Amino acid sequence: MTRDVPTRCRAVLLAIFIAFGFLFGYDIGVISGCLIMPDFIRQFGQEGTNGQYCLSSSRQSIIVSVLSAGGAIVQAFTSDRLGRRGSILLWSAIFTVGVAIQTSTTYSLVQLLIGRYIAGLGAGSLSAIVPLYNGETAPKAIRGTILAIYQVQIISGVFLSYVIELGSHTINNSASWRLPIGLQMVWGIIILSGMFFLPESPRHLLGTGRGDEARKVIAELNGVAEDDPLVIEIVKELDLAIRAENEGGKSTWSECFSTRNALWRRTMNGIMLQFFQQLNGQNFYYFYGDTFFQSAGAGLSPYIIQTILGAVSLFGTLPALYFIETWGRRKSLLLGASAQAVCALIVAVVGHTTLAPTGTLTSALTPRNRAGGNVVITFAVFQVFIFNTTWGPTAWVYLGESFPLRVRPKSIAFGTASNWFWNFMLSFFSPRIVDRIGPMIMLVFFSMLVFGYIYVYFAIPETKGLTLEEVDELYRSGIPPWRSVGWRPSERHHHEVHEKGTSD
């Protein structure tokens, strides 16, 4: 069995850089604040009969959601042809172009939407490639931690956007929103520059016949010499798995749903976990929190509340790096769904029964309204914290470690496309639903969390501590997911790797 890695510093540093999730996380936060900035409303809103400009719920929904319309499927066409590294370069450049188009917009809603769509193509593709890349370069003992770093970076971007807008929203011209939006170009340029110095995925190198380069990368990531027994063993195991996967010829999209190696189950698990992750309720707070918290009647500025929310989110991801390897994937998801469901139910009931109607003046709020608003904000913060400790990183970790190399780009693309599709649906329809039912929208998320708990219990096996090749055996074994905790690969699996390496 593959022994522990002597040092993993390079692998961790690589993950921190490549998971520069500011790209997607930063935009989630930044657009929320822009929606209530006076100059942004004046440039992209509509003038009312009273001469005041406003952003209707329909305009809010299309501005926010168009970023998610780009999806993540397209990266599957580049990640094999250009390699993981080349794909990251391409989509980082496309993201940066999209941000430049948004930043240069003046009174043109169409140009803003085009820029956000192009940026979404880049960010959506990167959100699929990053887990793919990290899952293929991470030593198994810390793969969960490294994949979770992606979520930490995303939330760091959310928090940073809130901090920047806390200062920029006081500017009385277009710099109030151009500055925070334009800063996204910095993240794209950093990735573009750094990727020229980072290695290709060793699994991709072996899969394309570049064995010498793969051995060098594996040695560097594991902190050992190229002739170290650890490198030899990893290469043998990867080579055996790759040969077995390629026996059937070139992979197809339909193969992701084939019965071989339970691929259909694995693909559906990736799709469903991303579906539940988006409908936990936390992204509703990220996208429309400023607007929602205004109606909660808190004494603090919505920008301050969002900054607090961002800080709580960021601190929530830190214990996740520990829990994901100690609790495991299943326990994190089950506990997270339970706790978040309680928070969502409280926000729905208390918000519906105590909050004043939207647009009520602060001076007209009753003590009951204010007390209810404080409860709503408190449990919203609790829910976001719990999400970032559990579902936020764990869904991405599971997606990044569930598929064999043969179909990895396509299967991960399906999972990430699910994430972006439901992100689009959430951001597009939420303002319209809130207009009709207000805080009761949280009952929708409560229902999804209950459904998610049931799905995880019966469908998601534990993959903690397994190599990508051992995950194959786990699914082939047919063990029920609720009995999979503590499962270990058979000696036959490792004997086959050893025998194949000896015969080579």
Side-chain angles (χ1 to χ4, degrees):
M1 184 176 291
T2 303
R3 60 182 171 87
D4 285 341
V5 179
T7 177
R8 308 180 181 97
C9 291
R10 180 170 172 80
V12 173
L13 291 174
L14 173 64
I16 291 173
F17 180 84
I18 198 62
F20 216 80
F22 285 172
L23 292 176
F24 181 42
Y26 184 92
D27 188 85
I28 291 176
V30 80
I31 197 62
S32 174
C34 290
L35 294 178
I36 60 172
M37 289 182 180
D39 190 83
F40 189 88
I41 294 173
R42 183 173 61 85
Q43 294 213 31
F44 304 111
Q46 297 166 297
E47 186 175 6
T49 55
N50 59 358
Q52 298 292 317
Y53 285 86
C54 68
L55 273 176
S56 64
S57 59
S58 59
R59 287 208 174 193
Q60 287 186 40
S61 65
I62 193 63
I63 289 172
V64 174
S65 63
V66 70
L67 182 90
S68 305
I73 290 290
V74 287
Q75 65 78 28
F77 297 99
T78 64
S79 58
D80 281 336
R81 181 171 299 180
L82 302 179
R84 306 344 181 200
R85 181 171 168 270
S87 292
I88 292 173
L89 282 168
L90 171 66
W91 296 111
S92 296
I94 290 174
F95 172 83
T96 305
V97 169
V99 173
I101 293 173
Q102 292 177 68
T103 308
S104 62
T105 302
T106 302
Y107 295 100
S108 174
L109 179 62
V110 173
Q111 182 178 338
L112 178 72
L113 297 179
I114 291 173
R116 285 186 59 75
Y117 178 78
I118 293 174
L121 283 175
S125 297
L126 288 168
S127 69
I129 299 172
V130 168
L132 174 67
Y133 183 89
N134 280 345
E136 293 179 352
T137 57
K140 76 168 184 177
I142 57 169
R143 189 176 64 242
T145 300
I146 285 181
L147 287 167
I149 287 174
Y150 178 54
Q151 179 70 13
V152 176
Q153 295 289 71
I154 289 177
I155 300 305
S156 298
V158 174
F159 176 60
L160 181 59
S161 71
Y162 292 156
V163 171
I164 290 173
E165 289 187 330
L166 184 61
S168 72
H169 84 277
T170 60
I171 302 173
N172 294 321
N173 54 50
S174 64
S176 60
W177 58 270
R178 290 187 199 275
L179 176 63
I181 288 179
L183 276 175
Q184 293 174 99
M185 286 187 284
V186 175
W187 321 141
I189 291 171
I190 288 175
I191 290 186
L192 277 170
S193 303
M195 283 308 298
F196 287 104
F197 305 98
L198 296 181
E200 180 56 85
S201 156
R203 281 181 174 82
H204 178 74
L205 291 172
L206 282 172
T208 52
R210 297 150 68 184
D212 291 340
E213 294 179 59
R215 280 186 287 273
K216 181 178 180 181
V217 172
I218 291 170
E220 290 179 352
L221 291 175
N222 291 298
V224 296
E226 287 187 46
D227 59 353
D228 189 278
L230 174 67
V231 175
I232 296 172
E233 188 174 358
I234 291 175
V235 169
K236 286 179 180 177
E237 187 164 346
L238 290 177
D239 194 47
L240 174 62
I242 290 169
R243 292 184 188 184
E245 290 161 7
N246 290 337
E247 286 177 356
K250 188 176 180 180
S251 66
T252 62
W253 288 94
S254 61
E255 188 176 343
C256 296
F257 297 95
S258 70
T259 56
R260 186 175 68 88
N261 291 341
L263 286 177
W264 71 271
R265 281 181 55 203
R266 296 153 82 168
T267 301
M268 285 306 303
N269 282 347
I271 290 172
M272 292 301 292
L273 284 183
Q274 293 296 323
F275 162 71
F276 291 124
Q277 191 209 49
Q278 286 304 298
L279 296 183
N280 269 213
Q282 85 295 333
N283 270 356
F284 170 74
Y285 294 127
Y286 290 148
F287 284 134
Y288 301 108
D290 286 352
T291 306
F292 183 72
F293 292 140
Q294 275 185 328
S295 66
L300 298 174
S301 157
Y303 289 102
I304 294 177
I305 296 173
Q306 284 290 72
T307 302
I308 295 173
L309 198 67
V312 168
S313 300
L314 180 58
F315 284 114
T317 60
L318 300 180
L321 300 178
Y322 172 77
F323 292 143
I324 207 162
E325 295 295 0
T326 54
W327 286 357
R329 286 43 161 169
R330 275 178 60 84
K331 190 172 183 179
S332 292
L333 294 170
L334 292 172
L335 290 177
S338 302
Q340 286 186 84
V342 172
C343 293
L345 183 61
I346 291 173
V347 170
V349 174
V350 174
H352 178 69
T353 58
T354 66
L355 293 188
T358 302
T360 303
L361 295 176
T362 304
S363 58
L365 295 176
T366 66
R368 175 182 171 83
N369 296 148
R370 293 182 184 277
N374 290 336
V375 171
V376 166
I377 292 171
T378 299
F379 280 91
V381 170
F382 282 159
Q383 183 173 350
V384 168
F385 179 83
I386 296 165
F387 169 82
N388 285 289
T389 303
T390 56
W391 275 84
T394 307
W396 288 111
V397 169
Y398 201 88
L399 186 66
E401 65 185 8
S402 293
F403 308 107
L405 179 66
R406 177 178 171 81
V407 295
R408 275 176 66 77
K410 293 180 175 66
S411 292
I412 288 180
F414 275 120
T416 312
S418 171
N419 179 288
W420 280 75
F421 173 77
W422 292 107
N423 184 284
F424 170 81
M425 297 294 283
L426 172 71
S427 56
F428 186 81
F429 288 106
S430 287
R432 305 162 192 264
I433 297 173
V434 171
D435 280 350
R436 292 177 177 271
I437 64 174
M440 293 296 283
I441 190 175
M442 297 307 297
L443 285 183
V444 176
F445 304 129
F446 167 78
S447 302
M448 290 297 101
L449 286 160
V450 172
F451 183 21
Y453 181 96
I454 296 171
Y455 185 89
V456 169
Y457 185 85
F458 288 104
I460 303 297
E462 182 57 69
T463 56
K464 183 185 76 170
L466 304 179
T467 66
L468 300 182
E469 290 67 41
E470 290 166 351
V471 171
D472 280 344
E473 187 182 354
L474 168 64
Y475 272 95
R476 287 197 302 268
S477 72
I479 186 170
W482 56 91
R483 294 180 181 173
S484 62
V485 177
W487 179 91
R488 288 294 176 265
S490 65
E491 287 300 319
R492 176 175 171 272
H493 170 79
H494 296 289
H495 180 70
E496 286 177 350
V497 173
H498 176 74
E499 290 296 318
K500 182 66 177 177
T502 302
S503 65
D504 289 343

